[in-house]
Amino acid sequence: MKKALTKTEYVFPRQKSVYHGKVRDVYNINDEELVMVATDRISAFDVVLPEGIPYKGQMLNQLAAKFLDATADICPNWKTAVPDPMATVGVQCTGFPVEMIVRGYLCGSAWRAYKSGVREICGVPIPDGMKENEPFATPIITPTTKAAQGLHDEDISRDEILRQGLVSEADYATLERYTLALFRRGTEIAAQRGLILVDTKYEFGHRDGKIYLIDEIHTPDSSRYFYRDGYEERLAKGEPQKQLSKEFVREWLMENGFQGKAGQTVPEMTPAIVESISNRYIELYEQITGEKFVRTDTDDLLARIERNITSYLSR
């Protein structure tokens, strides 16, 4: 089994601080730039799982970079360079305290809520009579709060965001416009590859009066994809959709009695399970990009990443 990168503790030139997120380690360079290292950690139900997934960080970082480049004409984004396959450097922004979730189809947590009788999500009414994995008439935005480390994100409506003053009305209108335009572009790109972009999340920040798209975009950690081929037939028969997303990890956890609740224990992540998750992530990369994923050498990840980032920052 190839090695997985699960922790970094670098000290880069002009570094002021480091933040260890669920899957990314973010280094503050003089309050001007951020170095975001995509580790091989994996999280589900807001819990970081005990085993890293080889190549996951590389795949996520490279896929996010491709989508940031492919949507740069829609809105500004934070990325300025990719000095290493597992790291991106970009503009430091102050993040908005909400995540913009956009859903084109009724599935996942939205379906679980709908099945229990819920007919409104984040202030958005959902009609009766819908089936699992059925498309909405038009994509809907269901924001969540951006929770502090260790806490769960919470659903919130547009009206409540404005009432609490989390985002100004003018800025929120811009976030909505960017969100729907990015989702349209992602949908178009997915369709070219025989996929359906089902739902995703976007995070935005601001600096010097300008709004930026930040963090990852259209990766399996932030998005769900269905295969287009056979979608209608499976929907008509009420069968599960063939999908590329992190949902299969959540499903495996739920089947083994774990949903992130108090007292529950993460099931054993055997080498076979870890390898299968790694292969599924790579499958998405190759499917969505149409390119062969080139696995980098995992024997000296820490030193290689440090060397490449330091070289870039010393330019």
Side-chain angles (χ1 to χ4, degrees):
M1 173 61 70
K2 296 296 184 180
K3 296 177 182 176
L5 179 71
T6 57
K7 185 177 182 180
T8 71
E9 290 289 355
Y10 297 123
V11 179
F12 294 119
R14 306 187 309 283
Q15 177 178 320
K16 297 190 74 172
S17 62
V18 60
Y19 167 75
H20 298 286
K22 293 189 185 80
V23 299
R24 287 171 175 77
D25 293 343
V26 184
Y27 293 83
N28 174 353
I29 309 301
N30 203 36
D31 291 333
E32 296 171 351
E33 294 180 295
L34 291 182
V35 173
M36 189 177 290
V37 179
T39 73
D40 293 321
R41 297 192 296 267
I42 182 169
S43 72
F45 299 113
D46 287 329
V47 174
V48 177
L49 303 186
E51 299 292 335
I53 307 300
Y55 305 114
K56 174 179 176 285
Q58 178 193 344
M59 190 283 299
L60 288 180
N61 193 64
Q62 292 182 337
L63 187 57
K66 287 178 180 293
F67 274 111
L68 288 171
D69 290 345
T71 57
D73 61 313
I74 294 174
C75 68
N77 68 63
W78 76 287
K79 169 183 168 286
T80 54
V82 181
D84 184 90
M86 296 179 72
T88 297
V89 179
V91 178
Q92 183 186 29
C93 299
T94 300
F96 289 103
V98 297
E99 294 184 352
M100 301 296 281
I101 314 294
V102 56
R103 303 175 185 273
Y105 295 72
L106 180 61
C107 61
S109 62
W111 167 251
R112 290 191 285 272
Y114 187 87
K115 189 168 60 171
S116 72
V118 173
R119 291 296 180 269
E120 183 179 285
I121 303 174
C122 302
V124 181
I126 310 297
D128 285 324
M130 290 190 69
K131 297 189 293 186
E132 183 177 12
N133 302 325
E134 183 178 346
F136 293 113
T138 57
I140 64 173
I141 297 175
T142 58
T144 65
T145 57
K146 181 64 175 169
Q149 189 172 14
L151 300 176
H152 291 273
D153 297 342
E154 300 288 345
D155 288 349
I156 190 170
S157 68
R158 173 189 182 277
D159 288 347
E160 188 62 17
I161 289 171
L162 299 181
R163 189 189 71 77
Q164 293 185 24
L166 299 178
V167 182
S168 73
E169 188 165 0
D171 283 348
Y172 193 82
T174 300
L175 299 188
E176 283 189 322
R177 177 166 54 84
Y178 282 163
T179 292
L180 294 174
L182 290 165
F183 192 71
R184 282 194 297 271
R185 179 66 56 80
T187 297
E188 293 165 0
I189 294 172
Q192 295 167 7
R193 302 298 314 156
L195 295 173
I196 298 170
L197 178 58
V198 178
D199 51 40
T200 191
K201 71 171 182 177
Y202 302 115
E203 295 187 44
F204 296 93
H206 55 92
R207 185 182 180 98
D208 299 329
K210 186 176 181 180
I211 293 177
Y212 292 82
L213 174 65
I214 60 175
D215 203 21
E216 62 183 331
I217 172 177
H218 296 164
T219 73
D221 268 20
S222 64
S223 312
R224 188 192 325 260
Y225 292 88
F226 290 158
Y227 282 92
R228 169 65 67 185
D229 185 35
Y231 164 77
E232 294 290 351
E233 293 82 354
R234 286 187 284 271
L235 180 67
K237 294 177 181 178
E239 297 176 351
Q241 292 294 331
K242 183 181 180 185
Q243 62 174 287
L244 284 172
S245 73
K246 201 169 66 171
E247 187 67 15
F248 75 95
V249 177
R250 299 186 191 96
E251 290 173 351
W252 172 74
L253 289 168
M254 287 189 289
E255 288 168 4
N256 287 274
F258 183 80
Q259 296 184 58
K261 297 178 181 177
Q264 295 182 338
T265 303
V266 177
E268 181 186 4
M269 296 179 69
T270 65
I273 289 292
V274 169
E275 184 175 10
S276 70
I277 295 173
S278 179
N279 290 338
R280 288 287 290 272
Y281 270 98
I282 291 171
E283 179 187 359
L284 184 138
Y285 179 94
E286 294 182 339
Q287 184 69 34
I288 194 62
T289 65
E291 301 172 3
K292 185 72 175 176
F293 180 77
V294 180
R295 295 166 170 82
T296 58
D297 186 356
T298 63
D299 288 338
D300 200 18
L301 285 175
L302 277 169
R304 184 202 74 200
I305 294 168
E306 182 174 32
R307 183 170 60 249
N308 287 339
I309 293 173
T310 301
S311 176
Y312 175 81
L313 295 176
S314 300
R315 67 198 187 283

